[in-house]
Amino acid sequence: MANKRVYLFEEGNAQMRDLLGGKGANLAEMTNIGLPVPPGFTITTEVCMEYLRSGGKFPEGLMDEVRAAMAEVERRMGRKFGDPDNPLLVSVRSGAKFSMPGMMDTILNLGLNPQTVEGMIRLSGDARFAYDAYRRFIMMFSDIVLDVERHKFEEILGEYKKRLGVTLDTEVPADALKELCSDYMQLVEKETGKSFPTDPWEQLQLAIEAVFKSWNNPRAQVYREREGIPWDLGTAVNVQTMVFGNMGDESGTGVAFTRDAATGEKQLYGEYLVNAQGEDVVAGIRTPLHLDELMNINPEIYKQFDEIAKLLENHYRDMMDIEFTVEKNRLFILQCRVGKRTSLAAVKIAVDMAKEGLISKDEAILRVKPADIDQLLHPQVDPKAQVQVIAKGLAASPGAAVGKVVFDADTAAERGQTEPVILVRPETTPDDIHGMLASKGVLTARGGMTSHAAVVARGFGIPCVAGCEAISIDLHEREFATNGITVKEGDWISINGSTGEVILGQAPLVEAMFTDELHELLDWADERRGLGVRTNADNPRDARQAVEFGAEGIGLCRTEHMFFETDRLPIVQDMILARDEAQRRSALDKLLPVQQKDFEGIFEVMEGRPVTVRLIDPPLHEFLPSYEQTLREVTELRVAVNTLGGSALKALLEEKERLLEAIESQREMNPMLGLRGCRLSILYPEIVEMQVRAILQAAVAVKRRGIDVHPEIMIPLVGDVSELAFVREKLEAVAKAVVEETGQDIDYKFGTMIEIPRAALTAEEIAQHAEFFSFGTNDLTQTTFGISRDDAEGKFLAKYVEMELLPANPFEKLDREGVGKLMRMCVEDARKVNPSLKLGICGEHGGEPSSVEFCHEIGLDYVSCSPFRVPIARLAAAQVAIKDKVSVTVDK
Amino acid sequence: MANKRVYLFEEGNAQMRDLLGGKGANLAEMTNIGLPVPPGFTITTEVCMEYLRSGGKFPEGLMDEVRAAMAEVERRMGRKFGDPDNPLLVSVRSGAKFSMPGMMDTILNLGLNPQTVEGMIRLSGDARFAYDAYRRFIMMFSDIVLDVERHKFEEILGEYKKRLGVTLDTEVPADALKELCSDYMQLVEKETGKSFPTDPWEQLQLAIEAVFKSWNNPRAQVYREREGIPWDLGTAVNVQTMVFGNMGDESGTGVAFTRDAATGEKQLYGEYLVNAQGEDVVAGIRTPLHLDELMNINPEIYKQFDEIAKLLENHYRDMMDIEFTVEKNRLFILQCRVGKRTSLAAVKIAVDMAKEGLISKDEAILRVKPADIDQLLHPQVDPKAQVQVIAKGLAASPGAAVGKVVFDADTAAERGQTEPVILVRPETTPDDIHGMLASKGVLTARGGMTSHAAVVARGFGIPCVAGCEAISIDLHEREFATNGITVKEGDWISINGSTGEVILGQAPLVEAMFTDELHELLDWADERRGLGVRTNADNPRDARQAVEFGAEGIGLCRTEHMFFETDRLPIVQDMILARDEAQRRSALDKLLPVQQKDFEGIFEVMEGRPVTVRLIDPPLHEFLPSYEQTLREVTELRVAVNTLGGSALKALLEEKERLLEAIESQREMNPMLGLRGCRLSILYPEIVEMQVRAILQAAVAVKRRGIDVHPEIMIPLVGDVSELAFVREKLEAVAKAVVEETGQDIDYKFGTMIEIPRAALTAEEIAQHAEFFSFGTNDLTQTTFGISRDDAEGKFLAKYVEMELLPANPFEKLDREGVGKLMRMCVEDARKVNPSLKLGICGEHGGEPSSVEFCHEIGLDYVSCSPFRVPIARLAAAQVAIKDKVSVTVDK
């Protein structure tokens, strides 16, 4: 028994996407909930596959079913397809289950021929309207169905306009258009050797066949291949009555949102154009009216539309974007879909709808994209503004900033007092921090997502574009050049740290908005999520910010950032350059009280929340002057001594040479894989002993002030259990000593970072010597991939993503297949031997939604991320918990 | 029922090590095969544990059993323990199941007291002998049993010698020794408050107790802990009749090997000293006779001994080291054990014994240590020579070399023509290769096991000590200094690349010896091993050497080493510095015939054996001049331009600046993890396209000469399957093009190196796009550990091994726990989807015996190593195959 092949819109519904395609199912749904949709019918996807499988044989008897459906449509409209007196025109569209680029475009006004066009003139009383529709139809049909290239039609029209001395299509009068139509017909005959089909039923059959064929056109095939859409789905064909908003002042067309798409306010919001078609609104030739004015122009239609909008919102349970047309006082709904909205609106609409009872709180949480929150927390370049992007670098620290260009930190610090500045540097060093703090934003020409500029800026919440290799900075001339444009010191620029864009001049910004609705949404999220959310913070300022954003602890406090501050760096350098342990210890004695103070500040802010402190991690040379600079100085001095001589110069040279030698002895071929982390602590335990003493003494001091403290001491870069056991034993002794000396009990933990593959692979052993693990996924990604982030991000990773060799930058989005596999193994092995082990992540992935999802899946206890990502992580964690709990299907 | 607690030697055998300890079981075994072992008995280990478990209660009735056993000994010897007329003296020794340092020393001459010493005088007719034995006994017993420190006795003896005006102990006459004995007794009484025990039975009981207690002394406990020896094994106590070789000219003592320990010749070989005790031989005061002379002195004894030697060799089925004593024409065997031997002897003895039918070929293979082979393949410092080691670096390329010091490659190339030279450099670069080739050995102050010097020297088989940080080189003065010694150009030094030692002057060498027996042994090995053995070779010379050593193919041919040669480097640099693809292609066109020629040479030598060619791997900056040097030059030129001016100088500066910029743009923070391997091939496919064309064209040319060729093209540093798929597709096209152009079919394969963790983790996908995998365990170890070998080996890895944080340097011995775990997973996952995949290893571990064993275990198809390691790998592979097949127990 043959299946039903043609469905009137009344016969379908939203669930029939397989058979009717997405568009057909939606038209059927709208028809069935009583909306005034122009009547029509859908030919099923099965028919398409039958056609293709038969090698292009038009299915027998199909046109009979089409005629039967058309008869029902004619009945409803009171017009007849191909009737010269009262013609019915239709549109023909493709429509697969999934929206798919490459499929056939729309053909409008099908059914027109020399006879019916006269009927249209009579019906509309407007010959220009009718011939304009006719010439458009001939062009579209010829292009799509008959394969006559569109530009050939455009050329003929161009000649007409030239001859008439007009510039706009709309200025071509009716009789010229009529003549044009016959010229078009001749062109088609010349190109195809056949005359243009004038039988409406032949037109329709050819159009239906063209839709079937378009399923297999190359662009569609490529798309299906890439998206993994099966070949045998096929496309449906939608045939729908044409309605016209340009049939006089009782006609018109409009677009509306059921709520304000910019703010989320609950009010109908849109535009209306009298006597116009949809494409006139888009073309922007005439200024549309605010939708409210329709109330005055045509209160009855407005009332109808307002009711329909409410109905649609209730039906789809979301804010809708609706296209409609009024044809001679008759309202038609042409399309409706879930409306696009700003981040601000997304949050407000979700929360409002949950409170209205339209959706559940779970759904409200799932409706907001984590990226929306990111937008709300930072100033953004106004999306409506026209800006001149002059270069693009890495989106290193989110948010936008506007300021005058300065080229060094001192100038930034000075001018930043009185006016907004953007610090532009080849790259930044610890010496630039005061300047960075005084700047609205930072732009560097070199360095990756983990460069000094990027890390520090993210820490401070300052927008930053890093590694912008397209700009070349001339520090002497105090200017930078890019793509032929020169920007001098004092010129205005804007940077967008969320996209990496560098913009000339002052871009208009939209301020950060942590709204009440966002607070409410995140509170709901907190009630649902299983994962804890901590923050990466190295100082009280960041810690405070993170707590305000909802952080439940610190997952990573990098102690070495404290070492970089200007008052400490000289002491740190003394320590490194010390000739023996005694000298080193004396420098460390000076650092102890400074570090203790740092920790006291953080512990106070965190008020009893757990604080994971990572002991010193980077290779020591990072704290020393640059090798290149020192080499340059020594070479210059050497030349000077040789030419000028002089004992003072000579002494200076010798001193510099000693420094160079010291730096050289710390230099490494691959510092990422060198003497750092616990390796450093094994060779020079006195450094971490000082740090642990500082942590414990700070804890004692703060506890005595009545504030609870829970330090978790993290030993980095462990690759073998013996390293952890060795260092921990030494440090436990220090911790116990402080507890004994002070008589103050402190609840401290020791743990390690899992950041090199061998640690993950031997987790079963390491877990026996740790109270917690924290995945350092930045380093773990580097070692698992064998890729240095600093070197790769600019040089080849972006290219890899562009070439689709990798689905995403694995430093942004956790690589589940490789790094994730290691993590999963590690978690399983570790929990087997130490079920009470606390497991977290403190790499930058901890704030990236899909990575947060993965952390939930493998059963981590918490994620930790930079303060500004804390709200994102809270939302993402709740979303995965909800998805995990039930399968709420939200139709979007 | 109580167990038997005391065993006469006659009552035990070699299998009773648990109960009688190793020594006791061995004494019993020798007694039972009819050797004239001085009679005695063993108290079981169980008794020791009973004593210890009871908290130190001497087991009831034990002394009764001891007396019964002693009675039997007395019967055999015809003397009586404690009998003043005909005294029997005994030794008391500990003896656990495993030989264990820290256990009780031997007590000799037990049973002496004022009465029995007189009996000894009468028996020996030598008062000095008797009192000397007596004073030694008192000292040993007091030290070990009574806890009176030995040095106190030594001091008293010293005073005697001073008073007598003599220097040697042996010059102290009998009466003085008698007096000394009574002074010793007084010392003991003073120190312990008790008089020295004179009852022989009391002496014996105390000595037995001391042995029991020594099981728990701290040194023994530490040793057991470390070696994992269970506490409850306990030690046995051996009580044995004393015999004396110093009772006149019919007495004597000797040591002999059943075969020549130096050469392996089958002839009794040893030394004999008339009228002497074992310790006299060791002391070296008198020159012993060659054992053959015993034939003249005492033919009867010689004949007896010769028979015993044969008996022992047959019994133990190995070359034995035998200690014996003749007491008044009566031969006693005191000890026998498997004899130590040189590498040369080890091979000869194993092969000879197998041919004699004494052992199986399997056993012969298992008897030779892989390290023995390494010794035989390289000249070695004569182990008997006294040399002055002045510094120690890394053992970077095995073998020893002697030569005059030169400080640059040009001098080496020149002087090396006429005399042996050692090239000493801070580090080497590709520019030094001609000098390295002309040198006997290479010594560098910097760089690790993978430094240029180390890699090149190993490739060429030149001994090399690298990274010898203890020497400081002054290139201007042309000298180096170390530990206060200055070595000038032209001075003789020797280096030992097998140990890392730098030796002052000309050390005597032992030449390399690839003997017939070694060939034979390795042929046997080849019949048994499952693993294939290939070689890492980059040029025909190495390839030829490796084939001679038995390589069955090339597992790694590094194409970039070819790029470093002086005639090619400029073209390679042109290619790298090219401004666009066209320039790059033109440089590549010049390289193509050169590379083709290289491959032809290798293919010809390999005569149809498979050759795995790795496409370009290192980062491009390795081919450019050093950044530091160029920076120095630019800085100097800048100063010169500023002070002197001149357009020529200015032009030079600009050119250098351009070069510096180019180098800078290639510079990386962590080049190991940067733009190299297939990453390079993805960005600049034209380089590898040229290489594949060169490989295929070479294969065609060689095949046309009638030589079979099987190239296997290896794409390095793959981390994601997409990289492999992308590069392979491009290269397959090139290969197919060559086959088509030439009409010559070539059997080529494409595969990849597994050298980063992610490749191993995603093997299931990668294996679907490869025909072979080769584990690059050098890089895989680096990334799995997160350790840069170049940086770590000198700085902290050695220290880690020293501190026992790691059991071995993982770059030498494959880390089974981490790296090995990844490899095992990879092999399993890969074979699952591609059962025909060929799997090998080409890291340096491929020639290290325990790593070869692991490769066998996880089921690889072959190992590949440097030419000089090929014989080692053949042996190691056979050994593990034999062990795997059956459990041949070889008692050593």
Side-chain angles (χ1 to χ4, degrees), chain A residues 740-778:
Chain A
E740 231 162 75
E741 287 161 20
T742 59
Q744 177 74 59
D745 214 27
I746 297 291
D747 165 41
Y748 62 85
K749 283 191 170 64
F750 276 97
T752 185
M753 214 153 160
I754 303 293
E755 51 189 329
I756 56 184
R758 198 174 185 281
L761 289 163
T762 61
E764 213 171 310
E765 293 169 40
I766 295 177
Q768 297 177 35
H769 290 260
E771 291 166 282
F772 64 88
F773 277 3
S774 179
F775 286 100
T777 47
N778 296 350

Short mmCIF file of all heavy atoms in Angstrom, two decimals, chain A residues 740-778:
data_model
loop_
_atom_site.label_atom_id
_atom_site.label_comp_id
_atom_site.label_asym_id
_atom_site.label_seq_id
_atom_site.Cartn_x
_atom_site.Cartn_y
_atom_site.Cartn_z
N GLU A 740 53.39 23.22 66.15
CA GLU A 740 53.95 23.00 67.49
C GLU A 740 54.43 24.30 68.11
O GLU A 740 54.12 24.59 69.27
CB GLU A 740 55.12 22.03 67.37
CG GLU A 740 55.03 20.86 68.33
CD GLU A 740 55.96 19.74 67.88
OE1 GLU A 740 57.19 19.90 68.06
OE2 GLU A 740 55.44 18.75 67.32
N GLU A 741 55.15 25.09 67.33
CA GLU A 741 55.68 26.36 67.84
C GLU A 741 54.56 27.26 68.33
O GLU A 741 54.70 27.97 69.32
CB GLU A 741 56.43 27.11 66.73
CG GLU A 741 57.78 26.51 66.35
CD GLU A 741 58.25 27.00 64.98
OE1 GLU A 741 57.74 28.05 64.51
OE2 GLU A 741 59.10 26.32 64.37
N THR A 742 53.45 27.28 67.57
CA THR A 742 52.39 28.24 67.88
C THR A 742 51.31 27.64 68.76
O THR A 742 50.51 28.37 69.33
CB THR A 742 51.72 28.73 66.59
OG1 THR A 742 51.19 27.58 65.90
CG2 THR A 742 52.73 29.42 65.68
N GLY A 743 51.28 26.33 68.84
CA GLY A 743 50.22 25.68 69.61
C GLY A 743 48.85 25.87 68.98
O GLY A 743 47.82 25.69 69.62
N GLN A 744 48.85 26.28 67.72
CA GLN A 744 47.57 26.53 67.04
C GLN A 744 47.34 25.43 66.03
O GLN A 744 48.16 25.27 65.11
CB GLN A 744 47.65 27.90 66.35
CG GLN A 744 46.42 28.27 65.56
CD GLN A 744 45.26 28.65 66.46
OE1 GLN A 744 45.38 29.59 67.25
NE2 GLN A 744 44.18 27.90 66.40
N ASP A 745 46.27 24.69 66.17
CA ASP A 745 46.01 23.61 65.22
C ASP A 745 45.47 24.20 63.92
O ASP A 745 44.64 25.11 63.94
CB ASP A 745 44.99 22.63 65.82
CG ASP A 745 45.28 21.21 65.37
OD1 ASP A 745 46.47 20.93 65.07
OD2 ASP A 745 44.34 20.40 65.30
N ILE A 746 45.98 23.68 62.81
CA ILE A 746 45.52 24.16 61.49
C ILE A 746 45.10 22.94 60.67
O ILE A 746 45.80 21.95 60.65
CB ILE A 746 46.66 24.92 60.76
CG1 ILE A 746 47.09 26.17 61.53
CG2 ILE A 746 46.22 25.29 59.33
CD1 ILE A 746 46.06 27.26 61.56
N ASP A 747 43.95 23.07 60.01
CA ASP A 747 43.48 21.98 59.14
C ASP A 747 44.10 22.18 57.76
O ASP A 747 43.56 22.91 56.94
CB ASP A 747 41.96 22.01 59.06
CG ASP A 747 41.43 21.16 57.91
OD1 ASP A 747 41.97 20.05 57.70
OD2 ASP A 747 40.49 21.61 57.22
N TYR A 748 45.25 21.56 57.54
CA TYR A 748 45.89 21.72 56.22
C TYR A 748 45.93 20.38 55.51
O TYR A 748 45.83 19.33 56.15
CB TYR A 748 47.31 22.29 56.36
CG TYR A 748 48.26 21.42 57.15
CD1 TYR A 748 48.95 20.37 56.53
CD2 TYR A 748 48.46 21.63 58.51
CE1 TYR A 748 49.81 19.56 57.26
CE2 TYR A 748 49.32 20.82 59.24
CZ TYR A 748 49.99 19.79 58.61
OH TYR A 748 50.83 18.99 59.33
N LYS A 749 46.02 20.46 54.18
CA LYS A 749 46.10 19.25 53.36
C LYS A 749 47.30 19.36 52.44
O LYS A 749 47.72 20.46 52.09
CB LYS A 749 44.86 19.12 52.48
CG LYS A 749 43.60 18.64 53.15
CD LYS A 749 42.56 18.33 52.07
CE LYS A 749 41.35 17.59 52.64
NZ LYS A 749 40.61 18.40 53.63
N PHE A 750 47.83 18.19 52.04
CA PHE A 750 48.86 18.18 51.00
C PHE A 750 48.34 17.43 49.78
O PHE A 750 47.70 16.38 49.92
CB PHE A 750 50.14 17.51 51.49
CG PHE A 750 51.04 18.44 52.26
CD1 PHE A 750 51.03 18.46 53.65
CD2 PHE A 750 51.88 19.31 51.58
CE1 PHE A 750 51.85 19.33 54.35
CE2 PHE A 750 52.71 20.18 52.28
CZ PHE A 750 52.70 20.19 53.68
N GLY A 751 48.64 17.96 48.62
CA GLY A 751 48.20 17.29 47.40
C GLY A 751 49.10 17.64 46.25
O GLY A 751 50.14 18.28 46.43
N THR A 752 48.71 17.23 45.07
CA THR A 752 49.56 17.50 43.93
C THR A 752 48.74 17.86 42.70
O THR A 752 47.54 17.61 42.66
CB THR A 752 50.48 16.31 43.61
OG1 THR A 752 51.37 16.67 42.55
CG2 THR A 752 49.67 15.10 43.16
N MET A 753 49.44 18.43 41.76
CA MET A 753 48.84 18.80 40.50
C MET A 753 49.11 17.63 39.55
O MET A 753 50.21 17.10 39.54
CB MET A 753 49.55 20.04 40.00
CG MET A 753 48.68 20.98 39.26
SD MET A 753 49.36 22.62 39.43
CE MET A 753 48.55 23.37 38.03
N ILE A 754 48.11 17.27 38.79
CA ILE A 754 48.32 16.25 37.75
C ILE A 754 48.45 17.02 36.44
O ILE A 754 47.47 17.48 35.87
CB ILE A 754 47.14 15.27 37.70
CG1 ILE A 754 46.94 14.60 39.07
CG2 ILE A 754 47.37 14.22 36.62
CD1 ILE A 754 48.05 13.68 39.51
N GLU A 755 49.68 17.16 35.99
CA GLU A 755 49.89 18.02 34.82
C GLU A 755 50.88 17.42 33.84
O GLU A 755 51.17 18.02 32.81
CB GLU A 755 50.34 19.42 35.25
CG GLU A 755 51.51 19.41 36.21
CD GLU A 755 51.81 20.80 36.78
OE1 GLU A 755 51.58 21.80 36.10
OE2 GLU A 755 52.31 20.87 37.93
N ILE A 756 51.42 16.24 34.16
CA ILE A 756 52.20 15.57 33.14
C ILE A 756 51.68 14.14 33.00
O ILE A 756 51.18 13.56 33.96
CB ILE A 756 53.71 15.63 33.39
CG1 ILE A 756 54.08 15.07 34.73
CG2 ILE A 756 54.23 17.04 33.29
CD1 ILE A 756 55.55 15.22 35.03
N PRO A 757 51.75 13.61 31.78
CA PRO A 757 51.08 12.33 31.52
C PRO A 757 51.48 11.23 32.50
O PRO A 757 50.64 10.46 32.95
CB PRO A 757 51.54 11.98 30.09
CG PRO A 757 51.78 13.30 29.46
CD PRO A 757 52.34 14.17 30.56
N ARG A 758 52.75 11.20 32.88
CA ARG A 758 53.18 10.11 33.74
C ARG A 758 52.48 10.14 35.09
O ARG A 758 52.26 9.10 35.72
CB ARG A 758 54.69 10.13 33.92
CG ARG A 758 55.20 8.77 34.43
CD ARG A 758 56.71 8.74 34.48
NE ARG A 758 57.16 7.41 34.84
CZ ARG A 758 57.16 6.95 36.07
NH1 ARG A 758 56.73 7.70 37.06
NH2 ARG A 758 57.58 5.72 36.32
N ALA A 759 52.14 11.32 35.57
CA ALA A 759 51.42 11.41 36.83
C ALA A 759 50.04 10.78 36.67
O ALA A 759 49.60 10.01 37.54
CB ALA A 759 51.30 12.87 37.26
N ALA A 760 49.38 11.07 35.56
CA ALA A 760 48.07 10.49 35.32
C ALA A 760 48.18 8.97 35.18
O ALA A 760 47.35 8.22 35.69
CB ALA A 760 47.44 11.11 34.08
N LEU A 761 49.24 8.53 34.50
CA LEU A 761 49.41 7.10 34.25
C LEU A 761 49.73 6.32 35.52
O LEU A 761 49.45 5.13 35.60
CB LEU A 761 50.52 6.88 33.22
CG LEU A 761 50.20 7.29 31.77
CD1 LEU A 761 51.47 7.43 30.94
CD2 LEU A 761 49.26 6.28 31.13
N THR A 762 50.36 6.97 36.48
CA THR A 762 50.73 6.28 37.71
C THR A 762 49.91 6.78 38.90
O THR A 762 50.38 6.78 40.03
CB THR A 762 52.24 6.42 38.01
OG1 THR A 762 52.54 7.82 38.17
CG2 THR A 762 53.09 5.88 36.87
N ALA A 763 48.69 7.19 38.61
CA ALA A 763 47.84 7.79 39.65
C ALA A 763 47.63 6.84 40.83
O ALA A 763 47.49 7.28 41.97
CB ALA A 763 46.50 8.17 39.04
N GLU A 764 47.61 5.56 40.53
CA GLU A 764 47.35 4.59 41.59
C GLU A 764 48.38 4.72 42.71
O GLU A 764 48.07 4.55 43.88
CB GLU A 764 47.38 3.19 40.98
CG GLU A 764 46.43 2.24 41.66
CD GLU A 764 46.33 0.93 40.89
OE1 GLU A 764 46.12 0.97 39.67
OE2 GLU A 764 46.49 -0.12 41.53
N GLU A 765 49.62 4.99 42.32
CA GLU A 765 50.65 5.15 43.35
C GLU A 765 50.62 6.54 43.96
O GLU A 765 50.75 6.71 45.17
CB GLU A 765 52.03 4.90 42.74
CG GLU A 765 52.20 3.46 42.31
CD GLU A 765 53.46 3.28 41.48
OE1 GLU A 765 54.48 3.90 41.81
OE2 GLU A 765 53.40 2.54 40.48
N ILE A 766 50.48 7.53 43.10
CA ILE A 766 50.54 8.91 43.59
C ILE A 766 49.39 9.20 44.55
O ILE A 766 49.55 9.90 45.54
CB ILE A 766 50.57 9.88 42.39
CG1 ILE A 766 51.87 9.68 41.60
CG2 ILE A 766 50.47 11.32 42.86
CD1 ILE A 766 51.99 10.52 40.35
N ALA A 767 48.22 8.61 44.25
CA ALA A 767 47.04 8.89 45.08
C ALA A 767 47.22 8.43 46.52
O ALA A 767 46.54 8.90 47.42
CB ALA A 767 45.82 8.22 44.46
N GLN A 768 48.17 7.51 46.71
CA GLN A 768 48.39 7.02 48.08
C GLN A 768 49.17 8.01 48.92
O GLN A 768 49.28 7.86 50.13
CB GLN A 768 49.12 5.67 48.04
CG GLN A 768 48.30 4.60 47.33
CD GLN A 768 49.04 3.28 47.22
OE1 GLN A 768 49.79 2.92 48.13
NE2 GLN A 768 48.84 2.59 46.13
N HIS A 769 49.73 9.01 48.27
CA HIS A 769 50.52 9.99 49.01
C HIS A 769 49.94 11.40 48.92
O HIS A 769 50.63 12.36 49.21
CB HIS A 769 51.96 9.99 48.47
CG HIS A 769 52.71 8.75 48.82
ND1 HIS A 769 53.61 8.70 49.86
CD2 HIS A 769 52.67 7.50 48.30
CE1 HIS A 769 54.12 7.48 49.94
NE2 HIS A 769 53.57 6.73 49.00
N ALA A 770 48.70 11.51 48.48
CA ALA A 770 48.10 12.84 48.31
C ALA A 770 46.71 12.86 48.92
O ALA A 770 46.02 11.85 48.97
CB ALA A 770 48.00 13.19 46.82
N GLU A 771 46.32 14.04 49.40
CA GLU A 771 44.95 14.20 49.90
C GLU A 771 44.05 14.82 48.84
O GLU A 771 42.84 14.82 48.95
CB GLU A 771 44.96 15.04 51.18
CG GLU A 771 45.60 14.29 52.34
CD GLU A 771 45.93 15.19 53.51
OE1 GLU A 771 46.97 15.90 53.43
OE2 GLU A 771 45.19 15.20 54.49
N PHE A 772 44.69 15.43 47.83
CA PHE A 772 43.90 15.94 46.72
C PHE A 772 44.74 15.95 45.45
O PHE A 772 45.96 15.97 45.50
CB PHE A 772 43.33 17.34 47.01
CG PHE A 772 44.38 18.41 47.18
CD1 PHE A 772 44.86 19.11 46.07
CD2 PHE A 772 44.91 18.70 48.42
CE1 PHE A 772 45.83 20.08 46.21
CE2 PHE A 772 45.89 19.68 48.57
CZ PHE A 772 46.36 20.37 47.46
N PHE A 773 44.05 15.90 44.33
CA PHE A 773 44.64 16.06 43.00
C PHE A 773 43.98 17.28 42.36
O PHE A 773 42.77 17.46 42.51
CB PHE A 773 44.28 14.88 42.08
CG PHE A 773 45.14 13.66 42.21
CD1 PHE A 773 46.17 13.58 43.14
CD2 PHE A 773 44.92 12.56 41.38
CE1 PHE A 773 46.95 12.44 43.25
CE2 PHE A 773 45.69 11.42 41.46
CZ PHE A 773 46.71 11.35 42.41
N SER A 774 44.75 18.03 41.63
CA SER A 774 44.14 19.07 40.82
C SER A 774 44.73 18.95 39.42
O SER A 774 45.96 18.99 39.25
CB SER A 774 44.42 20.44 41.42
OG SER A 774 43.85 21.44 40.60
N PHE A 775 43.87 18.78 38.43
CA PHE A 775 44.36 18.64 37.07
C PHE A 775 44.83 19.99 36.54
O PHE A 775 44.04 20.92 36.45
CB PHE A 775 43.28 18.07 36.14
CG PHE A 775 43.04 16.61 36.35
CD1 PHE A 775 41.95 16.17 37.09
CD2 PHE A 775 43.91 15.68 35.82
CE1 PHE A 775 41.74 14.81 37.29
CE2 PHE A 775 43.71 14.32 36.00
CZ PHE A 775 42.62 13.89 36.75
N GLY A 776 46.11 20.06 36.24
CA GLY A 776 46.65 21.26 35.61
C GLY A 776 46.57 21.05 34.11
O GLY A 776 47.54 20.62 33.48
N THR A 777 45.39 21.30 33.55
CA THR A 777 45.17 20.90 32.16
C THR A 777 45.91 21.76 31.14
O THR A 777 46.02 21.36 29.99
CB THR A 777 43.67 20.85 31.82
OG1 THR A 777 43.07 22.04 32.31
CG2 THR A 777 43.03 19.63 32.43
N ASN A 778 46.41 22.93 31.55
CA ASN A 778 47.24 23.68 30.59
C ASN A 778 48.49 22.87 30.29
O ASN A 778 48.80 22.57 29.13
CB ASN A 778 47.66 25.03 31.16
CG ASN A 778 46.48 25.96 31.41
OD1 ASN A 778 45.37 25.67 30.99
ND2 ASN A 778 46.73 27.05 32.08
#
